[in-house]
Amino acid sequence: MNRLFRVAVVLGLVGFLVSTSAQMVKRSDAVWARIVPPGTITFDGKLDEAAWKAADSVLIAFDSSNTKVIPGSGWKSERSGSSWNGKVTDPTRATVKFLIQGNELIVGVFARDSSVGGGLFNECDGVNMNLRDHTSGSRPAPPYEYGFMWVSETWASNPLADQPGQPPSYFGPAASDRDVYTGYSFVYGVASDDKNGTSVSTPDAGYSMEVRFNLAARGYDISKPQGEVLEFSVAVYDADWSWPYNDARFYGNRCWWQGQWGNSDGWNVGRILVRSDVTLATTVLPAIEPDLTIPNAAHHPAPVIDGNLTESVWTTAPGFRMTYADTTLRKSYPGIGPWRSGQTQPKLSGATGTPAVIDPGDAVVKYFFKGDTLYVGVDVNDQVVTSIDDFDRYDGFRLTITSRDSIELIDHVLLSRALDLRFDPTGNALPMSYLRFLDSTKKARVGVKMKPGTTINDPNDADVGFTMEFAIVLTAFGYPSGLGDHVLFFGATLFDGDKFTNTADDYGTRTWFMREHDRGSAPGWCYLDPNTFVTGVEATPGRLPAEFVLHGNYPNPFNPSTTIEYSTPREGIVTLHVYDVLGRVVSKVSAGMQSPGTHTIVFNAGTLSSGVYYYRLQLLGDDSRSLITMPFAKMMFVK
């Protein structure tokens, strides 16, 4: 492979950057940051360079429109005067834009505001930002706060920020370090002076800001061939009519994009995508694909929900693996999955410590939808299967799904639900949390099945594990019949409690994909794709395919072999090419001359390392002149 072709392959392989689902709505939790040449931005807070007009942006507003910036954006009231009449006369409306210059993220803010000024925290204007810290080995990656607000608290950098004409304060861990971040502001009026130097009330027009972040300080590297994803959220604080204080009009609030706190996590994380070929010269920004594409099982019969994963649809459905303490596996997750997914081992009640985990939790999760129902199957490997009524000792599984029609009353964000499933000492399914309600209203069906050789609560034997099935009717989460935009916000958590003859050895762990619980960040943005079908359905006898089509590979993830299914409309030589994440060819398999119809190739990855690989098929016509190459597909090898 020549160098130019290798670069092209790398840019085309980044699964979270290039959309394969053209019908999906534009993601509102992710934006692009275009790369601009050095010196493009003159840092004065004014946003008057032409580059800002081309920058991708998000709108943050203090009203119900902000809740539509799904799934983690919201708004809330903070303060008001004792005689305030309840009317918000100057609601927050801010545009936040993103660029990359050098190895710096440049965030531009314009906030429309008739009364700009400073005061105590929650009683002032400005932005509080959170760029997750990728220098940390903790998972999820911890928050890192960047405050740039007119805060007059003694712990902020400018306690005089509530005085007329004063600049904003810095606060957070890097408040005194301008090598980490620097802010610039410009007020269209006079900060902290509602009379703007006159004798009568004179409204401001708003303010603008430019904030530059040293990305290396937080462990980001935009020079990586596959690009970079920055984990970011921002809250806009707004206080009005306090300079001088007007009790009847004073009001303070905040609204945010994906997460409201600078120093902690919650609800969601915004994704800022950076790639070397996305610049000011890019006329149309690339579409951003989902974290997971959930296929349609319209051509399969619905499975019987009894806990057995024996139907053919489960054999060929896609999935992912979850394993406690497997950092290599976690790195293969899509998008920000490597940074949001994680694990915990809580200290058990009455225990003196946290003993070694000798049988790590391990499960393969598969998924598809049919009609308005989401199906999830979980195959758990567990040598110590238990049923103990203690959350930290559970054996079981949790799905988290975000409702599309239920709003949290204080933060005005979409509510998420935890759907927990465990079993009793005899192996009967025990729906917990919100799943119990769905089960009682016939909006969910669940099943649990112990694998042969498994007994519950017997520490003297070695068990095999269990399987679980979920069938969730999504209209119970506010979806219309037909599923509307087909977007699903999803997380998964594996509970693994192990009990031994020596109780000091007992432990419990939780391992999660994307999101541990219903208030945590960050759910995966998934697409229930009506045009992507679960593979493995036999072709209609006598009917030849109309084009060269890849149906996918199964199982996926796999170890060590997977079957790749495809159809060809005419005779030709079919060759499989497999690439690593750097675009290097790691395997080439010839299927030889193939007749028209549906065929399979078995790929064995036994000599490769665990991880994500990309593949495509080529069809060389029997005349050796025509060559058809399929788009790339992704598979995951897990040893």
Side-chain angles (χ1 to χ4, degrees):
M1 180 187 296
N2 63 52
R3 184 175 181 182
L4 179 62
F5 180 66
R6 178 176 296 174
V7 171
V9 169
V10 169
L11 295 178
L13 291 182
V14 183
F16 55 79
L17 299 187
V18 181
S19 175
T20 58
S21 303
Q23 296 180 350
M24 188 183 75
V25 297
K26 184 179 184 295
R27 288 182 64 160
S28 57
D29 66 340
V31 296
W32 284 98
R34 295 176 185 263
I35 296 176
V36 301
T40 298
I41 303 301
T42 300
F43 294 103
D44 54 12
K46 295 182 180 180
L47 305 182
D48 53 3
E49 294 86 358
W52 284 118
K53 294 181 180 179
D56 206 1
S57 64
V58 295
L59 175 66
I60 301 177
F62 183 76
D63 57 33
S64 59
S65 67
N66 207 46
T67 301
K68 297 177 183 177
V69 188
I70 51 181
S73 299
W75 52 279
K76 69 186 298 184
S77 299
E78 296 286 1
R79 302 283 191 274
S80 64
S82 60
S83 58
W84 179 61
N85 63 10
K87 294 182 179 180
V88 180
T89 58
D90 187 28
T92 305
R93 194 170 183 85
T95 301
V96 182
K97 298 188 173 187
F98 307 91
L99 294 172
I100 295 290
Q101 184 170 277
N103 197 43
E104 290 186 330
L105 168 68
I106 314 298
V107 175
V109 181
F110 175 75
R112 185 189 67 187
D113 193 351
S114 299
S115 176
V116 179
L120 302 178
F121 193 73
N122 291 338
E123 298 181 10
C124 62
D125 291 306
V127 293
N128 193 12
M129 298 159 287
N130 186 338
L131 181 62
R132 276 50 173 195
D133 190 0
H134 284 195
T135 66
S136 170
S138 299
R139 297 293 179 271
Y144 198 95
E145 184 174 39
Y146 295 82
F148 193 53
M149 298 167 56
W150 279 273
V151 180
S152 60
E153 305 271 9
T154 56
W155 44 259
S157 67
N158 182 16
L160 300 177
D162 60 350
Q163 300 302 305
Q166 285 287 320
S169 286
Y170 296 96
F171 61 90
S176 61
D177 192 343
R178 298 289 68 78
D179 289 332
V180 174
Y181 82 117
T182 306
Y184 309 82
S185 63
F186 185 85
V187 178
Y188 301 89
V190 179
S192 303
D193 181 3
D194 288 333
K195 296 182 179 181
N196 281 331
T198 69
S199 60
V200 296
S201 178
T202 305
D204 300 316
Y207 65 89
S208 55
M209 292 177 166
E210 291 168 323
V211 186
R212 54 198 297 192
F213 299 82
N214 180 343
L215 292 176
R218 296 282 70 77
Y220 296 95
D221 179 8
I222 65 168
S223 68
K224 292 188 294 189
Q226 69 270 32
E228 182 67 284
V229 183
L230 316 179
E231 296 190 277
F232 185 84
S233 54
V234 54
V236 178
Y237 286 69
D238 184 15
D240 293 329
W241 315 117
S242 188
W243 310 280
Y245 180 76
N246 184 328
D247 188 74
R249 300 185 70 187
F250 171 70
Y251 183 73
N253 64 76
R254 68 174 125 162
C255 44
W256 58 88
W257 180 57
Q258 302 308 327
Q260 63 173 309
W261 298 289
N263 58 3
S264 64
D265 274 324
W267 305 126
N268 197 22
V269 173
R271 288 83 155 163
I272 304 174
L273 279 63
V274 185
R275 203 173 68 191
S276 61
D277 64 329
V278 179
T279 68
L280 291 178
T282 304
T283 55
V284 179
L285 290 173
I288 303 171
E289 80 163 24
D291 295 314
L292 290 179
T293 296
I294 299 177
N296 188 350
H299 303 315
H300 285 267
V304 176
I305 305 301
D306 56 6
N308 286 302
L309 305 179
T310 53
E311 293 91 346
S312 62
V313 66
W314 289 122
T315 302
T316 56
F320 55 88
R321 195 175 204 106
M322 304 170 64
T323 305
Y324 182 86
D326 191 335
T327 56
T328 300
L329 173 64
R330 190 165 56 222
K331 289 177 181 178
S332 71
Y333 288 167
I336 61 173
W339 305 98
R340 291 298 99 200
S341 305
Q343 64 191 44
T344 186
Q345 182 187 357
K347 185 178 179 181
L348 299 181
S349 176
T352 58
T354 52
V357 176
I358 61 174
D359 180 33
D362 177 71
V364 172
V365 183
K366 294 197 168 188
Y367 46 83
F368 60 87
F369 78 99
K370 183 178 175 67
D372 294 337
T373 301
L374 171 70
Y375 293 87
V376 177
V378 186
D379 186 339
V380 179
N381 300 309
D382 191 355
Q383 297 182 68
V384 188
V385 175
T386 61
S387 175
I388 301 174
D389 191 14
D390 179 339
F391 178 74
D392 287 335
R393 295 173 179 261
Y394 278 1
D395 265 356
F397 203 77
R398 165 185 289 169
L399 305 177
T400 56
I401 296 177
T402 300
S403 176
R404 301 301 297 275
D405 66 349
S406 298
I407 305 297
E408 201 270 349
L409 296 179
I410 296 176
D411 290 345
H412 301 94
V413 298
L414 292 177
L415 276 176
S416 294
R417 307 292 190 181
L419 312 181
D420 295 356
L421 179 60
R422 51 184 291 259
F423 43 84
D424 67 17
T426 64
N428 293 314
L430 286 178
M432 309 293 289
S433 59
Y434 196 69
L435 184 61
R436 181 182 300 167
F437 167 74
L438 294 179
D439 181 65
S440 68
T441 56
K442 309 301 182 185
K443 296 297 184 180
R445 291 170 290 139
V446 294
V448 177
K449 183 71 174 180
M450 296 297 123
K451 294 181 180 179
T454 296
T455 56
I456 302 173
N457 289 342
D458 185 353
N460 296 306
D461 67 354
D463 300 319
V464 180
F466 54 91
T467 52
M468 290 180 158
E469 280 181 296
F470 297 77
I472 309 297
V473 180
L474 292 177
T475 54
F477 288 83
Y479 289 83
S481 179
L483 301 182
D485 61 14
H486 283 250
V487 173
L488 176 76
F489 305 112
F490 174 85
T493 303
L494 172 65
F495 301 112
D496 180 32
D498 288 349
K499 179 177 177 58
F500 302 93
T501 53
N502 180 5
T503 57
D505 295 332
D506 293 358
Y507 58 79
T509 66
R510 294 191 290 276
T511 305
W512 61 89
F513 172 80
M514 301 301 291
R515 184 184 210 180
E516 180 187 6
H517 53 80
D518 50 338
R519 295 181 69 90
S521 64
W525 180 296
C526 307
Y527 183 50
L528 301 149
D529 191 345
N531 299 315
T532 296
F533 296 94
V534 178
T535 59
V537 180
E538 293 185 3
T540 303
R543 181 178 298 174
L544 294 178
E547 56 184 344
F548 191 32
V549 176
L550 175 66
H551 300 296
N553 67 292
Y554 56 91
N556 191 17
F558 65 95
N559 179 23
S561 298
T562 186
T563 299
I564 298 168
E565 183 177 307
Y566 64 94
S567 297
T568 175
R570 56 191 175 88
E571 190 174 71
I573 298 173
V574 174
T575 305
L576 167 69
H577 299 264
V578 181
Y579 305 83
D580 64 15
V581 294
L582 296 179
R584 299 173 298 198
V585 176
V586 296
S587 183
K588 183 177 179 181
V589 180
S590 175
M593 184 67 71
Q594 299 290 301
S595 60
T598 299
H599 305 276
T600 60
I601 295 178
V602 175
F603 172 65
N604 190 307
T607 61
L608 301 177
S609 301
S610 294
V612 173
Y613 291 88
Y614 299 86
Y615 68 94
R616 63 180 181 179
L617 296 172
Q618 288 185 332
L619 172 65
L620 179 64
D622 56 1
D623 57 3
S624 297
R625 295 179 180 177
S626 59
L627 179 66
I628 303 175
T629 301
M630 288 185 179
F632 287 102
K634 182 168 65 174
M635 57 185 172
M636 185 167 69
F637 173 41
V638 181
K639 288 187 176 180

